[in-house]
């Protein structure tokens, strides 16, 4: 959280090396040590993802998943672990991010395979394959959550949101909208004093607004879509201004998207005002 990723990597790697010596752990502490090892590997993957080292991130996520795969129930049967769902949701988010980066890359640059592209895993497979792999992980995560005693609603909400993102990418906006709504419905029922859930909901609402904009572009007779989209984006702007402050990148993006919606509504004055606010924030 302090931005010292090198020290974070060193600390986590030391912890992982210590946690792998499970034979020295007592039987009573074996489950706890296994979960701590998996948590350390997950955090290690998150640090690699933050550094843009997605290939290394993938490896740590898979290792964390495998560590929890050896957990058994009282009858000796392998049972799903809720931590596996968390790992899959994190991994899917990284794959989605990799797709977002890869779609902006020139085919020639991808073929050369620079160091940065190696870190991001670009060119290793067709970009859309990343999305289908993310979907597979997310549906697997949902199955784990639903089969685990004590459903973790936050993970389920994150699953639904990421599934919506994937479906939107592969051009199934109506299905994406259904999963976004499921995510919002779950989050609305969770008490939140930190504001983090409000920010997560704002991201989902923003995606819903842009789907309504897309629906209007396909059927311009449905002007109500644009009015609703504009109302949703104003909600997103209010949330991000309150939670992140007046100069956040997320607020700039929300103003830009509202500008696009107002442009489609044929309200150029409002559109220009939104674009100016977005530009001002980005320049500050």
């Amino acid at each position: 959280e302090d931005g010292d990723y090198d020290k974070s990597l060193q600390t986590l790697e030391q912890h992982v090396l210590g946690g792998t010596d499970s034979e020295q752990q007592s039987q009573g502490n074996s489950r706890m040590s296994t979960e701590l090892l998996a948590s350390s590997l997950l955090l290690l993957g998150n640090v690699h993802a933050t550094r843009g080292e997605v290939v290394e991130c993938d490896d740590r996520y898979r290792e964390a998943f495998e560590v929890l795969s050896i957990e058994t129930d009282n009858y000796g049967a392998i049972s799903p672990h809720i931590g596996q769902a968390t790992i899959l949701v994190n991994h899917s988010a990284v794959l989605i991010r990799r797709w977002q980066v890869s779609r902006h890359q020139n085919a020639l640059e991808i073929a050369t395979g620079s160091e940065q592209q190696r870190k991001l895993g670009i060119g290793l497979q067709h970009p859309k394959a990343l999305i289908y792999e993310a979907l597979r992980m997310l549906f697997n995560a949902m199955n784990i959550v639903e089969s685990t005693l004590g459903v973790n609603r936050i993970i389920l909400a994150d699953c639904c949101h990421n599934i919506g993102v994937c479906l939107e990418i592969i051009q199934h906006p109506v299905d994406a909208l259904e999963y976004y709504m499921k995510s919002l419905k779950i989050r609305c029922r969770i008490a939140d004093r930190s504001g983090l859930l409000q920010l997560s909901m704002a991201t989902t609402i923003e995606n819903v607004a842009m789907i309504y904009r897309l629906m209007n572009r396909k059927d311009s007779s449905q002007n109500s879509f644009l009015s609703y989209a504009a109302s949703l984006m104003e909600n997103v702007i209010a949330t991000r201004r309150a939670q992140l402050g007046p100069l956040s990148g997320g607020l700039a993006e929300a103003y830009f998207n509202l500008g696009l919606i107002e442009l489609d509504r044929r309200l150029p004055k409002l559109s220009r005002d939104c674009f100016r606010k977005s530009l001002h924030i980005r320049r500050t």
Side-chain angles (χ1 to χ4, degrees):
E1 291 179 351
D2 289 336
D4 191 346
Y5 302 129
D6 291 336
K7 187 175 181 180
S8 179
L9 275 177
Q10 181 182 6
T11 303
L12 286 165
E13 285 170 350
Q14 289 175 350
H15 188 66
V16 168
L17 288 173
T20 54
D21 191 9
S22 57
E23 293 182 358
Q24 296 181 5
Q25 303 293 333
S26 66
Q27 186 66 27
N29 292 330
S30 61
R31 181 180 178 87
M32 182 177 292
S33 64
T34 298
E35 292 179 348
L36 285 172
L37 175 58
S39 297
S40 297
L41 287 166
L42 173 60
L43 286 172
L44 200 52
N46 290 345
V47 174
H48 281 302
T50 304
R51 289 162 58 99
E53 299 163 348
V54 180
V55 174
E56 290 82 356
C57 170
D58 286 351
D59 291 340
R60 299 298 85 75
Y61 284 157
R62 290 192 177 96
E63 289 169 2
F65 190 88
E66 289 171 2
V67 165
L68 294 178
S69 296
I70 65 175
E71 285 293 306
T72 60
D73 61 21
N74 293 332
Y75 300 97
I78 295 177
S79 58
H81 192 291
I82 191 64
Q84 290 176 307
T86 303
I87 294 164
L88 290 170
V89 172
N90 276 265
H91 203 164
S92 72
V94 170
L95 293 180
I96 292 169
R97 174 57 183 160
R98 191 190 304 180
W99 175 84
Q100 291 170 336
V101 172
S102 67
R103 69 175 179 156
H104 296 300
Q105 300 296 316
N106 181 277
L108 181 60
E109 292 176 348
I110 294 174
T112 61
S114 66
E115 176 64 15
Q116 182 65 15
Q117 289 161 352
R118 186 197 68 79
K119 287 182 178 181
L120 294 170
I122 298 170
L124 300 182
Q125 53 182 306
H126 191 278
K128 281 290 177 70
L130 298 171
I131 299 305
Y132 288 109
E133 176 66 9
L135 275 174
R136 184 193 66 77
M137 291 180 178
L138 289 165
F139 283 119
N140 189 5
M142 288 189 72
N143 290 334
I144 292 172
V145 172
E146 291 168 356
S147 64
T148 304
L149 293 177
V151 174
N152 190 312
R153 293 179 296 168
I154 293 179
I155 294 178
L156 196 58
D158 290 342
C159 276
C160 290
H161 172 84
N162 285 1
I163 288 172
V165 171
C166 291
L167 291 172
E168 190 176 354
I169 289 170
I170 62 176
Q171 300 180 2
H172 292 283
V174 176
D175 294 329
L177 194 59
E178 177 184 350
Y179 278 95
Y180 285 146
M181 291 304 188
K182 286 181 179 179
S183 177
L184 290 171
K185 186 176 180 180
I186 295 169
R187 285 185 174 131
C188 283
R189 296 177 178 176
I190 301 174
D192 173 38
R193 295 182 180 180
S194 66
L196 293 177
L197 282 181
Q198 292 182 40
L199 287 172
S200 297
M201 288 178 66
T203 300
T204 305
I205 291 170
E206 183 176 36
N207 291 358
V208 170
M210 299 312 284
I211 286 180
Y212 278 123
R213 175 179 177 251
L214 176 65
M215 288 180 171
N216 178 80
R217 292 175 74 86
K218 291 183 175 180
D219 183 4
S220 58
S221 64
Q222 299 292 332
N223 289 326
S224 59
F225 282 151
L226 283 179
S227 298
Y228 189 42
S231 176
L232 290 174
M233 285 307 307
E234 288 170 357
N235 180 288
V236 172
I237 287 170
T239 299
R240 288 181 178 166
R241 184 188 293 113
Q243 297 295 330
L244 300 176
L247 299 176
S248 71
L251 182 60
E253 173 130 10
Y255 271 123
F256 181 82
N257 286 335
L258 180 57
L260 294 175
I261 293 169
E262 300 294 15
L263 193 62
D264 286 349
R265 294 176 72 192
R266 299 180 182 179
L267 298 173
K269 185 176 180 181
L270 289 177
S271 178
R272 284 195 299 269
D273 184 53
C274 290
F275 289 146
R276 287 194 186 106
K277 288 179 179 177
S278 177
L279 186 60
H280 172 72
I281 294 171
R282 295 182 190 279
R283 284 178 170 174
T284 303

